[in-house]
Amino acid sequence: MTLDLVVGKTEEIAPGIRELTLVRPDGRLPPYPAGAHVVVECGHGRRNAYSLTGCGVEPDAYRIAVLHIPDGDGGSAYVHGLRVGDRVRVSRPRSAFPPVATARRHLLVAGGIGITPMLAHVRAALRWDRPVELLYVHRPGVAPYAEELAGLLGDRLVESTDPDEFGRLLQAALREQPIGTHLYVCGPGPLMDRVLTDAAAAGWPPERLHLERFVPAALDPGREFVARLARSDRDVHVPSGTSLLDALHAAGVAVPSMCRQGVCGECRVPVLAGRPLHRDEFLAADERSDAVMCCVSRSETDALEIDL
Ligand code: FES
């Protein structure tokens, strides 16, 4: 279900980064957990997922911050071109990166525009008095929300503009946490990979690591496989380079979709047999044996039986 919203305010909060405040003149906005995102319809069939920066309780507006990507698919340029009063269609908020309520402590690591879901996490942690600290690496002079975060967190915010220094700060932060701390990371792929590698080396168990990719990971075309549609007793061939979602659509099988980036959860399909090759950011570890996000994920086995 989508929401028809109106741009209430638009502001450049850092070079190349524009914050949009979206309001709903005719009704209340659904609440959401910190770390949630909305999928914005960006014209010409493009849909991009953007994190909401509020804590999500009784929101009077949805706020997103969008980095202009000159060589992107045009979605960010579309958002940057929006003006006050323009209408925008967005999905209801979807949660794929929420704080863990039972965590003893929340260690947040953000790189660049990856700060957006972390701002929501910080606001939620402070609202419910949960221990939190933030390690924020950014380019000099391009630090969205840094001032606001400094006011919210004081010395619990550590900033760095130097990759080597960031590495040392990260190592120290990973070592110093009490057992029961959960780690959340969002930023460019190489930064996230580094944080996850260092955390694993420092002995952090995977169930205490949470990540949010704001740019979809580059996906290889994958090998071909067959999707067995159990209910309709049909086989659909999925060639290399074609997504399972597109192959199903080409075969006339209706499957809903929104983001096509593996983050919104819309295209989830139950798996009955075979082994999915998961490439999404949506499914939790305990959901991965019997479901697949067919916009990005594929099959490890020659055939994947799905409940369609
Ligand atoms: S369409 Fe959003 S996860 Fe597949």
Side-chain angles (χ1 to χ4, degrees):
M1 176 183 167
T2 54
L3 301 167
D4 285 310
L5 305 184
V6 172
V7 179
K9 187 178 170 195
T10 166
E11 180 184 0
E12 186 163 37
I13 56 170
I17 298 174
R18 185 159 285 277
E19 182 186 69
L20 251 63
T21 300
L22 304 173
V23 296
R24 190 181 192 187
D26 58 342
R28 295 164 75 96
L29 287 164
Y32 56 88
H37 64 266
V38 290
V39 179
V40 178
E41 295 189 5
C42 297
H44 304 291
R46 292 170 304 222
R47 294 184 172 100
N48 286 359
Y50 296 111
S51 296
L52 295 165
T53 59
C55 82
V57 179
E58 297 180 359
D60 60 352
Y62 288 166
R63 288 183 183 81
I64 58 175
V66 178
L67 171 69
H68 183 218
I69 302 173
D71 55 355
D73 68 355
S76 67
Y78 173 88
V79 174
H80 274 241
L82 289 169
R83 296 291 171 255
V84 171
D86 286 347
R87 304 190 80 84
V88 187
R89 285 171 72 86
V90 309
S91 70
R92 295 175 79 89
R94 290 143 195 269
S95 171
F97 190 56
V100 175
T102 54
R104 183 162 169 201
R105 189 176 177 80
H106 301 266
L107 172 60
L108 314 176
V109 181
I113 191 66
I115 196 64
T116 51
M118 299 311 186
L119 179 55
H121 275 252
V122 166
R123 288 184 166 135
L126 297 179
R127 181 183 181 95
W128 284 287
D129 204 19
R130 293 176 179 149
V132 63
E133 70 181 74
L134 170 63
L135 180 51
Y136 182 14
V137 59
H138 54 77
R139 286 189 287 136
V142 188
Y145 301 118
E147 232 176 273
E148 186 173 353
L149 286 161
L152 291 170
L153 290 172
D155 61 5
R156 290 174 291 171
L157 168 67
V158 178
E159 281 183 73
S160 178
T161 56
D162 176 77
D164 292 335
E165 180 193 47
F166 167 73
R168 290 191 295 276
L169 292 167
L170 174 65
Q171 293 284 347
L174 290 172
R175 275 196 312 270
E176 289 163 6
Q177 301 303 319
I179 289 179
T181 301
H182 280 244
L183 169 66
Y184 309 80
V185 55
C186 182
L191 172 121
M192 305 222 316
D193 293 342
R194 174 179 191 171
V195 174
L196 295 180
T197 302
D198 286 5
W204 285 63
E207 60 272 18
R208 286 200 277 124
L209 308 178
H210 312 275
L211 68 158
E212 172 89 323
R213 289 188 192 276
F214 65 88
V215 174
L219 297 176
D220 67 56
R223 67 184 184 93
E224 64 178 0
F225 64 99
V226 170
R228 295 232 145 95
L229 279 49
R231 270 190 270 157
S232 47
D233 194 23
R234 292 175 61 193
D235 281 357
V236 172
H237 179 234
V238 186
S240 171
T242 298
S243 71
L244 172 55
L245 179 67
D246 284 340
L248 291 169
H249 283 174
V253 182
V255 177
S257 66
M258 280 287 286
C259 69
R260 290 176 167 259
Q261 295 171 5
V263 294
C264 78
E266 191 74 16
C267 67
R268 178 180 184 144
V269 169
V271 170
L272 302 173
R275 210 167 45 248
L277 175 63
H278 295 291
R279 311 200 290 186
D280 66 280
E281 308 292 342
F282 184 83
L283 292 172
D286 61 356
E287 298 174 311
R288 293 188 167 240
S289 60
D290 57 5
V292 65
M293 308 310 301
C294 59
C295 63
V296 291
S297 297
R298 306 183 64 82
S299 178
E300 279 187 17
T301 41
D302 291 341
L304 192 69
E305 189 173 330
I306 54 181
D307 192 14
L308 286 175

